[in-house]
Amino acid sequence: SSGINAEYGDGQKSSGKISIPPPSTVAQEQTLAAWLEGLEMSELKPMLELNGWDNIDHIKGAMAREDVAALGITNEKVKKKLLDSVEADLISYQHGSVPGTVEEWLREINLTRYLSKFTAQRIGSMSRVLAIWEIELTTILGIEPIGHRKRMMKSIRDL
């Protein structure tokens, strides 16, 4: 078990060790609300969620400058702070192998709400998912939130 000796603000040392979870665990447990609060940008939460940027693990690594502009954020300092944070805390979706089913893939990227759309359009194999184009996500599957489409496309690229 990894740990560190802790010293409290009053100069006292702890008698034991404090377990520190791996960085990936800490980042995965962070919520969108907590991340935005840390950036002092809590007011962006409804706008981000409305546009499909509702999962912190999938914002980092998928959101780009044009996505921030598309949200209607015009303040350059806010844009820069948001993008700098995304880049600094970058967590890539990584999977050791291609999921066995479309349902498993959607579960891994927290988008199972779209399983019925894939099923209705007879997109039932991962080989078909791997060949999907972003335009198909809107025109065939009707997936509107840009954040959800970007999350899907990034995860496909990373497989």
Side-chain angles (χ1 to χ4, degrees), residues 58-118:
H58 300 287
I59 288 175
K60 298 171 181 180
M63 183 180 274
R65 180 169 301 284
E66 63 270 13
D67 301 316
V68 173
L71 289 171
I73 299 172
T74 55
N75 183 310
E76 290 300 320
K77 287 182 181 179
V78 171
K79 281 194 236 182
K80 180 173 179 5
K81 188 174 184 178
L82 186 62
L83 285 168
D84 286 352
S85 178
V86 167
E87 292 170 10
D89 296 335
L90 181 62
I91 299 171
S92 296
Y93 167 83
Q94 293 190 6
H95 192 280
S97 60
V98 176
T101 65
V102 174
E103 182 177 6
E104 181 184 333
W105 169 66
L106 289 170
R107 189 174 29 256
E108 287 177 3
I109 61 172
N110 300 314
L111 291 175
T112 54
R113 69 189 87 175
Y114 296 115
L115 181 59
S116 61
K117 291 184 180 238
F118 279 83

Side-chain angles (χ1 to χ4, degrees), residues 88-158:
D89 296 335
L90 181 62
I91 299 171
S92 296
Y93 167 83
Q94 293 190 6
H95 192 280
S97 60
V98 176
T101 65
V102 174
E103 182 177 6
E104 181 184 333
W105 169 66
L106 289 170
R107 189 174 29 256
E108 287 177 3
I109 61 172
N110 300 314
L111 291 175
T112 54
R113 69 189 87 175
Y114 296 115
L115 181 59
S116 61
K117 291 184 180 238
F118 279 83
T119 303
Q121 295 301 323
R122 301 189 192 282
I123 300 175
S125 71
M126 282 308 296
S127 60
R128 174 63 179 99
V129 167
L130 291 172
I132 206 162
W133 292 27
E134 186 171 2
I135 191 76
E136 293 176 287
L137 296 177
T138 53
T139 59
I140 295 173
L141 295 166
I143 299 170
E144 293 302 323
I146 183 87
H148 292 176
R149 294 193 317 265
K150 287 240 177 186
R151 184 185 315 176
M152 288 178 185
M153 295 309 296
K154 181 180 183 327
S155 73
I156 290 167
R157 283 191 311 271
D158 289 347

Side-chain angles (χ1 to χ4, degrees), residues 19-31 34 56-57 60 91:
S19 292
I20 310 255
S24 60
T25 304
V26 172
Q28 289 170 356
E29 292 173 358
Q30 188 178 33
T31 65
I56 189 65
D57 293 333
K60 298 171 181 180
I91 299 171

Side-chain angles (χ1 to χ4, degrees), residues 4-68:
I4 60 168
N5 286 321
E7 185 174 308
Y8 298 104
D10 60 5
Q12 294 179 350
K13 291 197 179 213
S14 69
S15 58
K17 291 191 170 193
I18 298 172
S19 292
I20 310 255
S24 60
T25 304
V26 172
Q28 289 170 356
E29 292 173 358
Q30 188 178 33
T31 65
L32 177 64
W35 178 63
L36 289 171
E37 188 176 311
L39 292 174
E40 298 178 349
M41 297 178 156
S42 297
E43 69 280 2
L44 297 180
K45 185 176 182 279
M47 181 191 318
L48 289 169
E49 289 177 331
L50 181 67
N51 287 281
W53 298 106
D54 52 3
N55 185 298
I56 189 65
D57 293 333
H58 300 287
I59 288 175
K60 298 171 181 180
M63 183 180 274
R65 180 169 301 284
E66 63 270 13
D67 301 316
V68 173

